[in-house]
């Protein structure tokens, strides 16, 4: 087999992201059945730290030039991507895929905001990526600006009085929620 590319080149370490590999000569049986295995390894050549994509969730096009699979869960880091045909021949993209850590939310300030919205919030946490989305009580924050991978600012949406959850979701699908971290108060407060 031959591997020439993959998309996307990164996904959350939680697994479950649809990945597409492009290349040639991937094993396809006479009945169209998948006869190749996808392995994601710390070091494929040394057979170290390998996770195997679920064969039941892996498909190969009839031409044997494209494989789609769901990424298995792994620790964050960069890995080799390999396709191993049923005859044992393999193709490898060395250190070609990045498992990203999911974001975390560790705090929000201020601890209270108006039910009318419009309060500038600072959300603390880890692994914030450009394009991150933030919701408070299920409604999207606006004007999201990442100050660093550990801090972002946004303008709170309107919401009901009481404790609200704050959720962050990176563009790669990784997310985290801090429950009841901010309390919405009816004005004046």
């Amino acid at each position: 087999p031959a591997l020439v590319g993959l998309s996307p080149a990164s996904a959350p370490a939680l697994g479950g992201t649809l990945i597409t590999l492009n290349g040639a000569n991937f094993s396809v049986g006479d009945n169209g059945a998948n006869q190749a295995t996808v392995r994601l390894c710390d070091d494929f050549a040394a057979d170290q730290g390998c996770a195997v994509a679920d064969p039941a969730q892996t498909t190969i096009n009839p031409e044997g030039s494209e494989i789609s699979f769901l990424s298995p869960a792994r620790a964050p880091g960069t890995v080799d991507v390999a396709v191993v045909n049923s005859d044992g021949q393999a193709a490898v993209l060395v250190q070609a895929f990045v498992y990203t850590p999911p974001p975390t939310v560790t705090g929000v300030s201020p601890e209270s905001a108006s039910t009318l919205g419009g309060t500038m919030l600072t959300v603390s946490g880890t692994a914030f990526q450009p394009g991150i989305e933030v919701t408070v009580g299920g409604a999207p924050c606006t004007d999201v600006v990442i100050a660093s991978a550990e801090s972002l600012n946004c303008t709170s949406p309107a919401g009901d009085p009481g404790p609200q959850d704050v959720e962050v979701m990176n563009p790669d699908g990784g997310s985290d929620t801090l429950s009841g971290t901010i309390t919405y108060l009816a004005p004046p407060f």
Side-chain angles (χ1 to χ4, degrees):
L3 273 172
V4 295
L6 74 160
S7 179
S10 66
L14 305 171
T17 299
L18 182 64
I19 309 295
T20 301
L21 302 176
N22 295 299
N25 303 315
F26 303 140
S27 290
V28 180
D30 293 335
N31 62 358
N34 172 16
Q35 294 187 337
T37 302
V38 178
R39 299 182 65 180
L40 295 104
C41 305
D42 294 331
D43 183 346
F44 176 77
D47 196 25
Q48 292 181 343
C50 293
V52 178
D54 181 354
Q57 300 290 325
T58 302
T59 59
I60 301 177
N61 69 352
E63 296 80 26
S65 62
E66 184 175 281
I67 297 177
S68 296
F69 66 97
L70 294 179
S71 60
R74 285 191 44 102
T78 304
V79 297
D80 297 346
V81 179
V83 173
V84 181
N85 278 344
S86 57
D87 64 3
Q89 293 184 24
V92 183
L93 293 173
V94 176
Q95 299 294 286
F97 187 78
V98 178
Y99 275 101
T100 59
T104 61
V105 180
T106 57
V108 178
S109 68
E111 294 177 355
S112 60
S114 171
T115 55
L116 300 177
T119 302
M120 181 58 67
L121 304 178
T122 299
V123 179
S124 303
T126 61
F128 297 156
Q129 297 174 354
I132 194 167
E133 296 177 6
V134 182
T135 63
V136 177
C141 273
T142 58
D143 306 317
V144 178
V145 176
I146 297 177
S148 70
E150 293 81 32
S151 177
L152 64 83
N153 299 310
C154 68
T155 303
S156 67
D160 295 328
Q164 304 293 327
D165 297 347
V166 173
E167 180 181 23
V168 295
M169 180 179 284
N170 280 333
D172 66 11
S175 66
D176 189 40
T177 302
L178 190 57
S179 298
T181 189
I182 187 167
T183 301
Y184 269 22
L185 303 171
F189 65 91

